[in-house]
Amino acid sequence: DQVQPCEPVVMEPMTDGVNAAVVDPDDRSPDIDPALPRLIPSVDVPELAVVGHAEAKVDGLKLAKGNPAFTDDIEMRDLLDAKVLYSPHAHARIVDIDDSAATALPGVHAVLHHKNTPRVKYASGGQSWPNPHPYDQVSFDDKVRHVGDRVAAVAAESIEAAEQAVRLIEVEYEVLPAVFDELEAIKPGAPVIHDAPDTEGIHAADRNIVHHRKAHRGDVDAALASAAQVFEGTFRVHQVQQVPIEPHISIAWLDADERLVVRTATQVPFHTRRMLAPLIGMDVKQIRVIKPRIGGGFGAKQEMLIEDIVAHLAIATRRPVRLELTREEEFWASRTRHPQTITFRTGVDADGLL
């Protein structure tokens, strides 16, 4: 279709970049459609070929028309639905899992957990190669470390059957002491969260310190000593869930050549492909990750979260498997921005310059 691009309305600058604008409070707003974007070019920017000009959004037309664009905009034959059993405890060891009732439920094709899934350590947030440490996760562990940590996964003929099967899985937990504050977690004697001997690369596991970085530029002590004023403050930043409109969703299947295909809402398709390979025992070249347009991510989809679950289930069932988190699960079973405690010490000269 031929669609006229939505051109912005170029407005005159209100100032010359130096002097304050003189505005008459009785002036009426410009008679412009409020749906149109407004562009006020800076007097400091020269006339360029691209910058400062309207550019048609590459996928704007298909989105406006509602054409298939996202991970779930696909229909597959023999598709199974997956659901995950999550931990109700902040810190516990899994003593035993009984999945007999779940596997016997009509429509259930696979139930996976630490007893029947290979234990391969990985880091889900690998943003480089080689993957940065620590390697502190496995697909299904015999220990849970937060409420919402994965315990088992089910693939069934319907979401309802998968949900019922999850409720039928019996888990015996040994509840362990938990810690809920990062300052308390690093104190001597705090519960050790990652005590598995095969975990690699934690800076100080006995104090729950994952990384320690020390960096400086110039003589910091001398600069602070010569500063006219030194200010120090400690700030607490709360936990944040990014809440993209599209939740985490992944679909995996084996193609005609026995290659694994994962269609997923991710911001890091190549990292996901590389990290999946050792977990499922396949070469990277045997894995294809398809990243359609994502319905928001904001960092929440910058690591591999559920792709390994659908991959394991697709291999176990030889059927396509779909897993989509609910909005509730997004809050306690996905990734959020960590709460932080940050202490700044700032030195300034007599003019207030850092």
Side-chain angles (χ1 to χ4, degrees):
D1 294 350
Q2 296 298 320
V3 179
Q4 192 69 21
C6 181
E7 298 283 353
V9 178
V10 179
M11 311 284 292
E12 290 295 326
M14 296 181 65
T15 76
D16 58 7
V18 177
N19 301 302
V22 179
V23 180
D24 186 342
D26 296 325
D27 282 351
R28 296 182 60 187
S29 299
D31 188 15
I32 299 171
D33 187 337
L36 293 176
R38 303 180 186 189
L39 173 65
I40 304 177
S42 170
V43 296
D44 299 325
V45 177
E47 181 66 24
L48 301 172
V50 177
V51 176
H53 297 274
E55 188 68 27
K57 190 172 177 59
V58 174
D59 57 356
L61 179 59
K62 74 175 181 181
L63 295 176
K65 294 177 67 177
N67 290 351
F70 301 94
T71 296
D72 208 25
D73 291 335
I74 185 175
E75 294 184 11
M76 302 196 68
R77 187 191 313 173
D78 296 329
L79 180 69
L80 300 175
D81 284 297
K83 294 300 288 185
V84 178
L85 174 63
Y86 299 106
S87 168
H89 304 293
H91 193 202
R93 198 170 302 281
I94 298 174
V95 178
D96 192 26
I97 291 182
D98 183 355
D99 63 8
S100 57
T103 56
L105 187 70
V108 171
H109 289 259
V111 180
L112 298 183
H113 42 74
H114 80 272
K115 284 186 171 184
N116 56 17
T117 305
R119 182 180 177 86
V120 180
K121 284 283 184 172
Y122 71 100
S124 66
Q127 298 292 308
S128 61
W129 174 255
N131 253 31
H133 285 86
Y135 291 3
D136 58 357
Q137 295 176 244
V138 294
S139 289
F140 297 99
D141 208 342
D142 60 355
K143 187 180 184 184
V144 291
R145 296 172 174 84
H146 63 88
V147 172
D149 205 353
R150 59 172 76 167
V151 175
V154 173
E157 292 286 350
S158 67
I159 293 178
E160 292 77 12
E163 290 175 338
Q164 185 178 357
V166 163
R167 292 192 292 268
L168 293 175
I169 300 173
E170 296 184 7
V171 184
E172 181 184 349
Y173 295 99
E174 176 194 353
V175 179
L176 303 172
V179 63
F180 303 100
D181 179 274
E182 70 272 25
L183 299 182
E184 294 297 321
I186 63 177
K187 291 181 178 179
V192 177
I193 306 304
H194 287 278
D195 56 352
D198 57 350
T199 296
E200 302 176 25
I202 292 182
H203 172 72
D206 60 328
R207 294 186 60 197
N208 300 312
I209 300 175
V210 61
H211 286 302
H212 181 264
R213 294 285 184 266
K214 186 174 182 180
H216 66 89
R217 181 178 178 183
D219 193 334
V220 177
D221 292 335
L224 290 173
S226 63
Q229 295 285 343
V230 176
F231 303 93
E232 182 173 324
T234 297
F235 306 88
R236 301 295 296 267
V237 180
H238 61 81
Q239 188 176 18
V240 174
Q241 163 56 231
Q242 295 88 341
V243 198
I245 294 177
E246 175 196 44
H248 284 83
I249 178 170
S250 295
I251 305 169
W253 66 92
L254 295 171
D255 69 10
D257 295 308
E258 302 287 317
R259 295 173 299 196
L260 179 74
V261 183
V262 182
R263 179 181 170 100
T264 184
T266 181
Q267 295 174 257
V268 286
F270 294 101
H271 294 311
T272 296
R273 179 174 180 251
R274 170 171 45 79
M275 289 186 284
L276 262 180
L279 300 186
I280 59 176
M282 297 178 72
D283 291 334
V284 171
K285 64 183 179 181
Q286 292 296 110
I287 302 171
R288 181 187 180 198
V289 174
I290 301 172
K291 188 205 82 68
R293 197 184 199 285
I294 64 171
F298 318 113
K301 298 172 183 174
Q302 272 192 296
E303 59 183 285
M304 185 177 70
L305 184 69
I306 62 174
E307 289 84 356
D308 62 313
I309 297 177
V310 291
H312 282 302
L313 289 170
I315 292 171
T317 62
R318 316 295 292 182
R319 296 264 297 269
V321 178
R322 171 187 176 275
L323 173 60
E324 179 182 17
L325 299 191
T326 65
R327 182 60 61 193
E328 181 181 3
E329 289 169 339
E330 284 288 331
F331 276 89
W332 51 275
S334 73
R335 296 294 188 260
T336 61
R337 189 182 74 184
H338 297 300
Q340 301 172 58
T341 301
I342 308 168
T343 299
F344 286 106
R345 187 184 308 147
T346 305
V348 298
D349 63 17
D351 296 323
L353 297 176
L354 292 174

